[in-house]
Amino acid sequence: MLHLRRARPAARCCPARTVGRSDGGRARPGGGIPLMSKPSLRTVLLLSASVIVVAILTAELDWTIRFPAILALLGSMSYMTLALDSRRRQTTELEQLRKTCEQLDQQAKMIVRSDLELHRTQEALDRKVASLLALHELSQGLRISLHPEEVYGKLTPSLVTSFGFSKGLAGVYQSTGIVSWKALIGVTEAQAQQIQGHLQTSGWLDRLLARPSPVTVTVAQRHEASAARFLELLESSCLVVAGIKPSAGPSGCLLLAREDLGTSAEQGDEELVGILAAQLAIAIEGCALYEEAWRARQGLERSIQERTQELEEANRQLTRLNKAKSDFVSAVSHELRTPLAAIKGYASLLRSGQFGSVQPAQTERLAKVEKHSDTLTELINNLLDIARIESGRVTMESRPLATKELLASLTDLFKLQADAKRLTLSMDADGVDHLLGDPTHLPRVLINLLSNALKYTPAGGTITVRLSRRDGHIVTSVTDTGAGIDAVELPKLFQEFYRAAHPINEQVRGTGLGLALVKRIVEAHHGKIWVESTLGQGTTFTFTLPEEPARTSPS
């Protein structure tokens, strides 16, 4: 259809089609003049004028000659008139046909232009879709990158092609001020070195690091020396340069170029390259943060290992020191028990008068010697028990102890002391009929706790021993209405030789070993002990023991 105008001369050589045929469109066999057609006004006038002219010219001729001449002249005039009319109609039709062809030619050109535009639009859309798919695949691949510099090497030929480019470079900005290329697509090492030098000398590198937004360089900018040099080095007609500047990790730059001289910068190239640069920057940030976290974790693990080794060594030293202390205490205690027994024995003999009469003053002093000997013996025994329990040389038996009998014996033991201070001593078993424990050591726990309660509870107070069941354990508590203990002192009460800083301790003597021994006995029975106290209101010591004996699996 684009060449209809060229065929116009040939149309003029063809016979004109008939118009207004009354015989169904049949033409005269020998020519192009129709058999019958409606004559125009011009034809009628020409024929009338011809008749008049012939009549005038042949007025003096004989009819035999005039009639054929008239007929011949009329025929000739009629043929010429009809031929002229036919030619005029053909000319009109050809003009209409020409105009129609021109219109069709214009429409064809519009269709071709539209088709080209649609084709270019489709290519651009296909390229953008391919670019987005490539970005998605790149994002999946960037997740496994562990080092920031590895991200720059993710620029592959397929990725560059999907963005509509044929050449690409990606590099890391080093501390020395140069760019170290990590990916070269369609570019030689020599070209890359020249481009690196041009980036540095032309100031483009500093500009990209300051403003990393993508910049397009095309052949229209050849008058700019730096832009023309870029296109010359890359042998390309279009170049997009972008900076990569993550908030954490090494900065860099990205260059993508196409060498097709017939292709100009496409709309949206900068946007796609900007998205690619931003995605690379995000990946670099993630890698840098991961690497920082990994290094911090490695450092923390090393610190923990070093600290653990130090603690293990300190624990070993403490274990050795504790064992040495226990051995020393045991040895000293054994060495002290023998002279103490002798001292107490001789004091008893002297006070009994077996070696002669004793004066009252002497008897009183001998009684004090026996009393202090008993105190030292109790102290030594406590030290020996603590040392034996810590060293594991004492095994706690697990026997059922009748609660009724145990509480009755405690009442008998402390009733006189309680009555002397006008204290109310209360025992409440609450349905607990037995305790599981060592028959020798478990009563010592209650004896020590009740002894302390009697010492620190003023006259007229109350002491209560209460037993109950809770979650498979027997809970035993000893509560008094004494002076109470400061909350700061509570965590230290079970330490050896520790006594709370309270004025009443100046009046009540003690060694500070009773509660330490109680704690070790309870823990040796797989139980727990704790204390609750309020100054001026009283103190409650509570310990738990398993209700059933611990089950041991067969080896």
Side-chain angles (χ1 to χ4, degrees), residues 181 191 194-200 202-205 207-208 217 222 224-239 241 255 257:
W181 300 114
Q191 287 178 309
Q194 291 178 345
I195 293 171
Q196 190 275 131
H198 182 60
L199 279 172
Q200 192 172 6
S202 63
W204 273 77
L205 185 59
R207 186 172 70 175
L208 289 175
V217 180
R222 286 190 179 273
E224 298 180 11
S226 59
R229 181 58 177 166
F230 266 132
L231 298 178
E232 179 184 351
L233 291 174
L234 288 168
E235 299 176 354
S236 303
S237 61
C238 177
L239 168 68
V241 187
L255 291 82

PDB file of all heavy atoms in Angstrom, residues 181 191 194-200 202-205 207-208 217 222 224-239 241 255 257:
ATOM      1  N   TRP A 181      38.238  -3.789  40.449  1.00  0.00           N
ATOM      2  CA  TRP A 181      37.120  -4.387  39.715  1.00  0.00           C
ATOM      3  C   TRP A 181      36.894  -5.821  40.165  1.00  0.00           C
ATOM      4  O   TRP A 181      37.814  -6.628  40.208  1.00  0.00           O
ATOM      5  CB  TRP A 181      37.381  -4.351  38.217  1.00  0.00           C
ATOM      6  CG  TRP A 181      37.555  -2.970  37.664  1.00  0.00           C
ATOM      7  CD1 TRP A 181      38.685  -2.447  37.128  1.00  0.00           C
ATOM      8  CD2 TRP A 181      36.565  -1.935  37.607  1.00  0.00           C
ATOM      9  NE1 TRP A 181      38.475  -1.155  36.732  1.00  0.00           N
ATOM     10  CE2 TRP A 181      37.170  -0.803  37.015  1.00  0.00           C
ATOM     11  CE3 TRP A 181      35.226  -1.842  37.979  1.00  0.00           C
ATOM     12  CZ2 TRP A 181      36.492   0.388  36.812  1.00  0.00           C
ATOM     13  CZ3 TRP A 181      34.550  -0.660  37.779  1.00  0.00           C
ATOM     14  CH2 TRP A 181      35.174   0.441  37.197  1.00  0.00           C
ATOM     15  N   GLN A 191      41.105  -2.397  29.165  1.00  0.00           N
ATOM     16  CA  GLN A 191      40.056  -1.380  29.154  1.00  0.00           C
ATOM     17  C   GLN A 191      39.644  -1.010  30.578  1.00  0.00           C
ATOM     18  O   GLN A 191      39.418   0.163  30.889  1.00  0.00           O
ATOM     19  CB  GLN A 191      38.845  -1.887  28.372  1.00  0.00           C
ATOM     20  CG  GLN A 191      39.034  -1.935  26.869  1.00  0.00           C
ATOM     21  CD  GLN A 191      37.818  -2.491  26.162  1.00  0.00           C
ATOM     22  OE1 GLN A 191      37.310  -3.555  26.513  1.00  0.00           O
ATOM     23  NE2 GLN A 191      37.328  -1.762  25.159  1.00  0.00           N
ATOM     24  N   GLN A 194      42.111   1.347  32.118  1.00  0.00           N
ATOM     25  CA  GLN A 194      41.974   2.699  31.577  1.00  0.00           C
ATOM     26  C   GLN A 194      40.734   3.394  32.134  1.00  0.00           C
ATOM     27  O   GLN A 194      40.770   4.585  32.453  1.00  0.00           O
ATOM     28  CB  GLN A 194      41.906   2.623  30.056  1.00  0.00           C
ATOM     29  CG  GLN A 194      43.210   2.203  29.399  1.00  0.00           C
ATOM     30  CD  GLN A 194      43.081   2.089  27.886  1.00  0.00           C
ATOM     31  OE1 GLN A 194      41.988   2.056  27.348  1.00  0.00           O
ATOM     32  NE2 GLN A 194      44.219   2.029  27.205  1.00  0.00           N
ATOM     33  N   ILE A 195      39.642   2.654  32.261  1.00  0.00           N
ATOM     34  CA  ILE A 195      38.411   3.236  32.813  1.00  0.00           C
ATOM     35  C   ILE A 195      38.629   3.624  34.274  1.00  0.00           C
ATOM     36  O   ILE A 195      38.172   4.678  34.739  1.00  0.00           O
ATOM     37  CB  ILE A 195      37.250   2.236  32.674  1.00  0.00           C
ATOM     38  CG1 ILE A 195      36.903   2.032  31.197  1.00  0.00           C
ATOM     39  CG2 ILE A 195      36.017   2.717  33.441  1.00  0.00           C
ATOM     40  CD1 ILE A 195      35.929   0.902  30.946  1.00  0.00           C
ATOM     41  N   GLN A 196      39.340   2.769  35.012  1.00  0.00           N
ATOM     42  CA  GLN A 196      39.643   3.087  36.415  1.00  0.00           C
ATOM     43  C   GLN A 196      40.446   4.370  36.524  1.00  0.00           C
ATOM     44  O   GLN A 196      40.174   5.239  37.361  1.00  0.00           O
ATOM     45  CB  GLN A 196      40.373   1.907  37.040  1.00  0.00           C
ATOM     46  CG  GLN A 196      40.546   2.001  38.564  1.00  0.00           C
ATOM     47  CD  GLN A 196      41.767   2.808  38.966  1.00  0.00           C
ATOM     48  OE1 GLN A 196      41.673   3.694  39.805  1.00  0.00           O
ATOM     49  NE2 GLN A 196      42.898   2.540  38.344  1.00  0.00           N
ATOM     50  N   GLY A 197      41.442   4.516  35.652  1.00  0.00           N
ATOM     51  CA  GLY A 197      42.237   5.743  35.671  1.00  0.00           C
ATOM     52  C   GLY A 197      41.419   6.966  35.280  1.00  0.00           C
ATOM     53  O   GLY A 197      41.569   8.045  35.873  1.00  0.00           O
ATOM     54  N   HIS A 198      40.530   6.806  34.296  1.00  0.00           N
ATOM     55  CA  HIS A 198      39.699   7.940  33.880  1.00  0.00           C
ATOM     56  C   HIS A 198      38.715   8.329  34.978  1.00  0.00           C
ATOM     57  O   HIS A 198      38.453   9.528  35.196  1.00  0.00           O
ATOM     58  CB  HIS A 198      38.944   7.574  32.598  1.00  0.00           C
ATOM     59  CG  HIS A 198      38.100   8.697  32.069  1.00  0.00           C
ATOM     60  ND1 HIS A 198      38.624   9.921  31.699  1.00  0.00           N
ATOM     61  CD2 HIS A 198      36.752   8.795  31.867  1.00  0.00           C
ATOM     62  CE1 HIS A 198      37.648  10.717  31.283  1.00  0.00           C
ATOM     63  NE2 HIS A 198      36.504  10.045  31.381  1.00  0.00           N
ATOM     64  N   LEU A 199      38.165   7.334  35.684  1.00  0.00           N
ATOM     65  CA  LEU A 199      37.268   7.641  36.814  1.00  0.00           C
ATOM     66  C   LEU A 199      37.984   8.483  37.864  1.00  0.00           C
ATOM     67  O   LEU A 199      37.408   9.413  38.436  1.00  0.00           O
ATOM     68  CB  LEU A 199      36.759   6.340  37.444  1.00  0.00           C
ATOM     69  CG  LEU A 199      35.587   5.620  36.769  1.00  0.00           C
ATOM     70  CD1 LEU A 199      35.359   4.268  37.429  1.00  0.00           C
ATOM     71  CD2 LEU A 199      34.322   6.466  36.867  1.00  0.00           C
ATOM     72  N   GLN A 200      39.223   8.142  38.103  1.00  0.00           N
ATOM     73  CA  GLN A 200      39.971   8.824  39.165  1.00  0.00           C
ATOM     74  C   GLN A 200      40.415  10.224  38.738  1.00  0.00           C
ATOM     75  O   GLN A 200      40.297  11.185  39.508  1.00  0.00           O
ATOM     76  CB  GLN A 200      41.163   7.964  39.548  1.00  0.00           C
ATOM     77  CG  GLN A 200      41.865   8.393  40.814  1.00  0.00           C
ATOM     78  CD  GLN A 200      42.917   7.387  41.221  1.00  0.00           C
ATOM     79  OE1 GLN A 200      43.196   6.438  40.500  1.00  0.00           O
ATOM     80  NE2 GLN A 200      43.520   7.599  42.375  1.00  0.00           N
ATOM     81  N   SER A 202      39.237  12.140  36.181  1.00  0.00           N
ATOM     82  CA  SER A 202      38.179  13.047  35.719  1.00  0.00           C
ATOM     83  C   SER A 202      37.292  13.552  36.854  1.00  0.00           C
ATOM     84  O   SER A 202      36.471  14.444  36.655  1.00  0.00           O
ATOM     85  CB  SER A 202      37.304  12.340  34.680  1.00  0.00           C
ATOM     86  OG  SER A 202      36.649  11.214  35.260  1.00  0.00           O
ATOM     87  N   GLY A 203      37.418  12.963  38.050  1.00  0.00           N
ATOM     88  CA  GLY A 203      36.584  13.389  39.172  1.00  0.00           C
ATOM     89  C   GLY A 203      35.243  12.688  39.238  1.00  0.00           C
ATOM     90  O   GLY A 203      34.439  12.973  40.129  1.00  0.00           O
ATOM     91  N   TRP A 204      34.979  11.770  38.289  1.00  0.00           N
ATOM     92  CA  TRP A 204      33.712  11.054  38.303  1.00  0.00           C
ATOM     93  C   TRP A 204      33.565  10.180  39.558  1.00  0.00           C
ATOM     94  O   TRP A 204      32.476  10.034  40.107  1.00  0.00           O
ATOM     95  CB  TRP A 204      33.591  10.180  37.049  1.00  0.00           C
ATOM     96  CG  TRP A 204      33.023  10.909  35.880  1.00  0.00           C
ATOM     97  CD1 TRP A 204      33.659  11.805  35.078  1.00  0.00           C
ATOM     98  CD2 TRP A 204      31.686  10.809  35.381  1.00  0.00           C
ATOM     99  NE1 TRP A 204      32.821  12.278  34.114  1.00  0.00           N
ATOM    100  CE2 TRP A 204      31.584  11.680  34.267  1.00  0.00           C
ATOM    101  CE3 TRP A 204      30.565  10.093  35.743  1.00  0.00           C
ATOM    102  CZ2 TRP A 204      30.420  11.831  33.534  1.00  0.00           C
ATOM    103  CZ3 TRP A 204      29.397  10.226  35.015  1.00  0.00           C
ATOM    104  CH2 TRP A 204      29.327  11.090  33.936  1.00  0.00           C
ATOM    105  N   LEU A 205      34.662   9.589  39.994  1.00  0.00           N
ATOM    106  CA  LEU A 205      34.604   8.696  41.150  1.00  0.00           C
ATOM    107  C   LEU A 205      34.176   9.449  42.403  1.00  0.00           C
ATOM    108  O   LEU A 205      33.308   8.983  43.152  1.00  0.00           O
ATOM    109  CB  LEU A 205      35.961   8.025  41.362  1.00  0.00           C
ATOM    110  CG  LEU A 205      36.025   6.968  42.465  1.00  0.00           C
ATOM    111  CD1 LEU A 205      35.041   5.851  42.195  1.00  0.00           C
ATOM    112  CD2 LEU A 205      37.440   6.404  42.577  1.00  0.00           C
ATOM    113  N   ARG A 207      32.460  12.184  42.474  1.00  0.00           N
ATOM    114  CA  ARG A 207      31.075  12.601  42.311  1.00  0.00           C
ATOM    115  C   ARG A 207      30.110  11.446  42.576  1.00  0.00           C
ATOM    116  O   ARG A 207      29.054  11.627  43.203  1.00  0.00           O
ATOM    117  CB  ARG A 207      30.858  13.134  40.889  1.00  0.00           C
ATOM    118  CG  ARG A 207      29.470  13.728  40.682  1.00  0.00           C
ATOM    119  CD  ARG A 207      29.354  14.414  39.336  1.00  0.00           C
ATOM    120  NE  ARG A 207      29.360  13.453  38.242  1.00  0.00           N
ATOM    121  CZ  ARG A 207      29.165  13.786  36.975  1.00  0.00           C
ATOM    122  NH1 ARG A 207      28.995  15.068  36.641  1.00  0.00           N
ATOM    123  NH2 ARG A 207      29.183  12.863  36.040  1.00  0.00           N
ATOM    124  N   LEU A 208      30.480  10.246  42.120  1.00  0.00           N
ATOM    125  CA  LEU A 208      29.611   9.085  42.346  1.00  0.00           C
ATOM    126  C   LEU A 208      29.538   8.724  43.828  1.00  0.00           C
ATOM    127  O   LEU A 208      28.495   8.298  44.324  1.00  0.00           O
ATOM    128  CB  LEU A 208      30.128   7.890  41.545  1.00  0.00           C
ATOM    129  CG  LEU A 208      29.957   7.970  40.023  1.00  0.00           C
ATOM    130  CD1 LEU A 208      30.624   6.785  39.367  1.00  0.00           C
ATOM    131  CD2 LEU A 208      28.479   8.027  39.654  1.00  0.00           C
ATOM    132  N   VAL A 217      25.182   8.682  29.987  1.00  0.00           N
ATOM    133  CA  VAL A 217      26.095   9.325  29.044  1.00  0.00           C
ATOM    134  C   VAL A 217      25.790   8.768  27.656  1.00  0.00           C
ATOM    135  O   VAL A 217      25.815   7.545  27.455  1.00  0.00           O
ATOM    136  CB  VAL A 217      27.564   9.063  29.407  1.00  0.00           C
ATOM    137  CG1 VAL A 217      28.487   9.742  28.402  1.00  0.00           C
ATOM    138  CG2 VAL A 217      27.861   9.555  30.815  1.00  0.00           C
ATOM    139  N   ARG A 222      29.035  13.969  23.365  1.00  0.00           N
ATOM    140  CA  ARG A 222      30.430  13.799  22.920  1.00  0.00           C
ATOM    141  C   ARG A 222      31.229  15.094  23.012  1.00  0.00           C
ATOM    142  O   ARG A 222      32.467  15.066  23.002  1.00  0.00           O
ATOM    143  CB  ARG A 222      30.465  13.273  21.493  1.00  0.00           C
ATOM    144  CG  ARG A 222      30.099  11.813  21.380  1.00  0.00           C
ATOM    145  CD  ARG A 222      30.392  11.268  19.986  1.00  0.00           C
ATOM    146  NE  ARG A 222      30.068   9.854  19.884  1.00  0.00           N
ATOM    147  CZ  ARG A 222      30.886   8.861  20.188  1.00  0.00           C
ATOM    148  NH1 ARG A 222      32.086   9.154  20.646  1.00  0.00           N
ATOM    149  NH2 ARG A 222      30.524   7.608  20.054  1.00  0.00           N
ATOM    150  N   GLU A 224      31.455  16.828  25.554  1.00  0.00           N
ATOM    151  CA  GLU A 224      32.078  16.829  26.866  1.00  0.00           C
ATOM    152  C   GLU A 224      33.240  15.846  26.846  1.00  0.00           C
ATOM    153  O   GLU A 224      33.060  14.668  26.507  1.00  0.00           O
ATOM    154  CB  GLU A 224      31.069  16.445  27.942  1.00  0.00           C
ATOM    155  CG  GLU A 224      29.891  17.406  28.060  1.00  0.00           C
ATOM    156  CD  GLU A 224      28.921  16.977  29.146  1.00  0.00           C
ATOM    157  OE1 GLU A 224      29.290  16.064  29.926  1.00  0.00           O
ATOM    158  OE2 GLU A 224      27.826  17.544  29.210  1.00  0.00           O
ATOM    159  N   ALA A 225      34.386  16.294  27.216  1.00  0.00           N
ATOM    160  CA  ALA A 225      35.601  15.485  27.090  1.00  0.00           C
ATOM    161  C   ALA A 225      35.520  14.211  27.928  1.00  0.00           C
ATOM    162  O   ALA A 225      35.841  13.116  27.458  1.00  0.00           O
ATOM    163  CB  ALA A 225      36.825  16.310  27.495  1.00  0.00           C
ATOM    164  N   SER A 226      35.084  14.340  29.201  1.00  0.00           N
ATOM    165  CA  SER A 226      35.039  13.171  30.082  1.00  0.00           C
ATOM    166  C   SER A 226      34.015  12.152  29.596  1.00  0.00           C
ATOM    167  O   SER A 226      34.265  10.944  29.605  1.00  0.00           O
ATOM    168  CB  SER A 226      34.707  13.598  31.514  1.00  0.00           C
ATOM    169  OG  SER A 226      33.451  14.262  31.561  1.00  0.00           O
ATOM    170  N   ALA A 227      32.839  12.633  29.128  1.00  0.00           N
ATOM    171  CA  ALA A 227      31.812  11.726  28.627  1.00  0.00           C
ATOM    172  C   ALA A 227      32.277  11.042  27.348  1.00  0.00           C
ATOM    173  O   ALA A 227      32.090   9.826  27.157  1.00  0.00           O
ATOM    174  CB  ALA A 227      30.515  12.490  28.392  1.00  0.00           C
ATOM    175  N   ALA A 228      32.867  11.817  26.435  1.00  0.00           N
ATOM    176  CA  ALA A 228      33.353  11.234  25.181  1.00  0.00           C
ATOM    177  C   ALA A 228      34.422  10.178  25.444  1.00  0.00           C
ATOM    178  O   ALA A 228      34.484   9.152  24.754  1.00  0.00           O
ATOM    179  CB  ALA A 228      33.899  12.340  24.292  1.00  0.00           C
ATOM    180  N   ARG A 229      35.281  10.403  26.451  1.00  0.00           N
ATOM    181  CA  ARG A 229      36.331   9.448  26.773  1.00  0.00           C
ATOM    182  C   ARG A 229      35.733   8.134  27.284  1.00  0.00           C
ATOM    183  O   ARG A 229      36.224   7.054  26.942  1.00  0.00           O
ATOM    184  CB  ARG A 229      37.256  10.045  27.828  1.00  0.00           C
ATOM    185  CG  ARG A 229      38.430   9.147  28.230  1.00  0.00           C
ATOM    186  CD  ARG A 229      39.281   8.788  27.055  1.00  0.00           C
ATOM    187  NE  ARG A 229      40.431   7.987  27.459  1.00  0.00           N
ATOM    188  CZ  ARG A 229      41.197   7.301  26.618  1.00  0.00           C
ATOM    189  NH1 ARG A 229      40.922   7.302  25.314  1.00  0.00           N
ATOM    190  NH2 ARG A 229      42.219   6.599  27.063  1.00  0.00           N
ATOM    191  N   PHE A 230      34.683   8.221  28.074  1.00  0.00           N
ATOM    192  CA  PHE A 230      34.000   7.026  28.558  1.00  0.00           C
ATOM    193  C   PHE A 230      33.486   6.194  27.389  1.00  0.00           C
ATOM    194  O   PHE A 230      33.720   4.980  27.305  1.00  0.00           O
ATOM    195  CB  PHE A 230      32.821   7.402  29.461  1.00  0.00           C
ATOM    196  CG  PHE A 230      33.164   7.431  30.925  1.00  0.00           C
ATOM    197  CD1 PHE A 230      32.798   8.498  31.718  1.00  0.00           C
ATOM    198  CD2 PHE A 230      33.853   6.384  31.516  1.00  0.00           C
ATOM    199  CE1 PHE A 230      33.108   8.533  33.050  1.00  0.00           C
ATOM    200  CE2 PHE A 230      34.170   6.413  32.858  1.00  0.00           C
ATOM    201  CZ  PHE A 230      33.805   7.494  33.631  1.00  0.00           C
ATOM    202  N   LEU A 231      32.748   6.867  26.462  1.00  0.00           N
ATOM    203  CA  LEU A 231      32.180   6.153  25.321  1.00  0.00           C
ATOM    204  C   LEU A 231      33.280   5.590  24.424  1.00  0.00           C
ATOM    205  O   LEU A 231      33.134   4.501  23.853  1.00  0.00           O
ATOM    206  CB  LEU A 231      31.275   7.096  24.524  1.00  0.00           C
ATOM    207  CG  LEU A 231      30.051   7.644  25.284  1.00  0.00           C
ATOM    208  CD1 LEU A 231      29.274   8.604  24.411  1.00  0.00           C
ATOM    209  CD2 LEU A 231      29.160   6.513  25.760  1.00  0.00           C
ATOM    210  N   GLU A 232      34.376   6.281  24.324  1.00  0.00           N
ATOM    211  CA  GLU A 232      35.482   5.814  23.502  1.00  0.00           C
ATOM    212  C   GLU A 232      36.131   4.576  24.108  1.00  0.00           C
ATOM    213  O   GLU A 232      36.440   3.611  23.400  1.00  0.00           O
ATOM    214  CB  GLU A 232      36.505   6.936  23.346  1.00  0.00           C
ATOM    215  CG  GLU A 232      37.728   6.546  22.514  1.00  0.00           C
ATOM    216  CD  GLU A 232      38.759   7.664  22.467  1.00  0.00           C
ATOM    217  OE1 GLU A 232      38.443   8.793  22.943  1.00  0.00           O
ATOM    218  OE2 GLU A 232      39.874   7.417  21.964  1.00  0.00           O
ATOM    219  N   LEU A 233      36.351   4.599  25.418  1.00  0.00           N
ATOM    220  CA  LEU A 233      36.980   3.458  26.071  1.00  0.00           C
ATOM    221  C   LEU A 233      36.105   2.219  26.011  1.00  0.00           C
ATOM    222  O   LEU A 233      36.602   1.094  25.855  1.00  0.00           O
ATOM    223  CB  LEU A 233      37.305   3.806  27.531  1.00  0.00           C
ATOM    224  CG  LEU A 233      38.409   4.842  27.764  1.00  0.00           C
ATOM    225  CD1 LEU A 233      38.511   5.191  29.235  1.00  0.00           C
ATOM    226  CD2 LEU A 233      39.755   4.304  27.247  1.00  0.00           C
ATOM    227  N   LEU A 234      34.796   2.416  26.155  1.00  0.00           N
ATOM    228  CA  LEU A 234      33.873   1.295  26.148  1.00  0.00           C
ATOM    229  C   LEU A 234      33.372   0.946  24.754  1.00  0.00           C
ATOM    230  O   LEU A 234      32.667  -0.053  24.596  1.00  0.00           O
ATOM    231  CB  LEU A 234      32.685   1.597  27.065  1.00  0.00           C
ATOM    232  CG  LEU A 234      32.969   1.579  28.560  1.00  0.00           C
ATOM    233  CD1 LEU A 234      31.817   2.169  29.357  1.00  0.00           C
ATOM    234  CD2 LEU A 234      33.234   0.158  29.019  1.00  0.00           C
ATOM    235  N   GLU A 235      33.712   1.788  23.762  1.00  0.00           N
ATOM    236  CA  GLU A 235      33.254   1.570  22.387  1.00  0.00           C
ATOM    237  C   GLU A 235      31.739   1.399  22.356  1.00  0.00           C
ATOM    238  O   GLU A 235      31.203   0.449  21.789  1.00  0.00           O
ATOM    239  CB  GLU A 235      33.942   0.335  21.796  1.00  0.00           C
ATOM    240  CG  GLU A 235      35.454   0.455  21.734  1.00  0.00           C
ATOM    241  CD  GLU A 235      36.107  -0.822  21.235  1.00  0.00           C
ATOM    242  OE1 GLU A 235      35.368  -1.811  21.053  1.00  0.00           O
ATOM    243  OE2 GLU A 235      37.342  -0.833  21.042  1.00  0.00           O
ATOM    244  N   SER A 236      31.055   2.317  22.989  1.00  0.00           N
ATOM    245  CA  SER A 236      29.604   2.226  23.153  1.00  0.00           C
ATOM    246  C   SER A 236      28.961   3.556  22.806  1.00  0.00           C
ATOM    247  O   SER A 236      29.632   4.606  22.730  1.00  0.00           O
ATOM    248  CB  SER A 236      29.245   1.832  24.587  1.00  0.00           C
ATOM    249  OG  SER A 236      29.865   0.612  24.950  1.00  0.00           O
ATOM    250  N   SER A 237      27.650   3.481  22.608  1.00  0.00           N
ATOM    251  CA  SER A 237      26.890   4.699  22.312  1.00  0.00           C
ATOM    252  C   SER A 237      26.090   5.182  23.498  1.00  0.00           C
ATOM    253  O   SER A 237      25.592   6.302  23.497  1.00  0.00           O
ATOM    254  CB  SER A 237      25.937   4.442  21.134  1.00  0.00           C
ATOM    255  OG  SER A 237      25.014   3.413  21.467  1.00  0.00           O
ATOM    256  N   CYS A 238      25.937   4.329  24.514  1.00  0.00           N
ATOM    257  CA  CYS A 238      25.142   4.699  25.696  1.00  0.00           C
ATOM    258  C   CYS A 238      25.776   4.078  26.920  1.00  0.00           C
ATOM    259  O   CYS A 238      26.182   2.908  26.897  1.00  0.00           O
ATOM    260  CB  CYS A 238      23.698   4.241  25.531  1.00  0.00           C
ATOM    261  SG  CYS A 238      22.659   4.577  26.973  1.00  0.00           S
ATOM    262  N   LEU A 239      25.868   4.846  27.993  1.00  0.00           N
ATOM    263  CA  LEU A 239      26.497   4.385  29.236  1.00  0.00           C
ATOM    264  C   LEU A 239      25.701   4.916  30.414  1.00  0.00           C
ATOM    265  O   LEU A 239      25.294   6.074  30.419  1.00  0.00           O
ATOM    266  CB  LEU A 239      27.942   4.879  29.312  1.00  0.00           C
ATOM    267  CG  LEU A 239      28.674   4.730  30.653  1.00  0.00           C
ATOM    268  CD1 LEU A 239      28.911   3.258  30.960  1.00  0.00           C
ATOM    269  CD2 LEU A 239      29.981   5.497  30.630  1.00  0.00           C
ATOM    270  N   VAL A 241      26.124   5.179  34.574  1.00  0.00           N
ATOM    271  CA  VAL A 241      27.077   5.060  35.676  1.00  0.00           C
ATOM    272  C   VAL A 241      26.325   5.339  36.977  1.00  0.00           C
ATOM    273  O   VAL A 241      25.546   6.293  37.063  1.00  0.00           O
ATOM    274  CB  VAL A 241      28.243   6.056  35.511  1.00  0.00           C
ATOM    275  CG1 VAL A 241      29.299   5.808  36.563  1.00  0.00           C
ATOM    276  CG2 VAL A 241      28.829   5.955  34.127  1.00  0.00           C
ATOM    277  N   LEU A 255      28.987   0.330  36.218  1.00  0.00           N
ATOM    278  CA  LEU A 255      28.922   0.895  34.872  1.00  0.00           C
ATOM    279  C   LEU A 255      28.290  -0.129  33.951  1.00  0.00           C
ATOM    280  O   LEU A 255      28.739  -1.289  33.897  1.00  0.00           O
ATOM    281  CB  LEU A 255      30.315   1.253  34.337  1.00  0.00           C
ATOM    282  CG  LEU A 255      31.057   2.432  34.988  1.00  0.00           C
ATOM    283  CD1 LEU A 255      31.758   2.002  36.257  1.00  0.00           C
ATOM    284  CD2 LEU A 255      32.066   3.024  34.017  1.00  0.00           C
ATOM    285  N   ALA A 257      26.899  -0.484  29.797  1.00  0.00           N
ATOM    286  CA  ALA A 257      26.956   0.188  28.492  1.00  0.00           C
ATOM    287  C   ALA A 257      26.418  -0.742  27.418  1.00  0.00           C
ATOM    288  O   ALA A 257      26.441  -1.971  27.555  1.00  0.00           O
ATOM    289  CB  ALA A 257      28.392   0.595  28.158  1.00  0.00           C
TER     290      ALA A 257
END
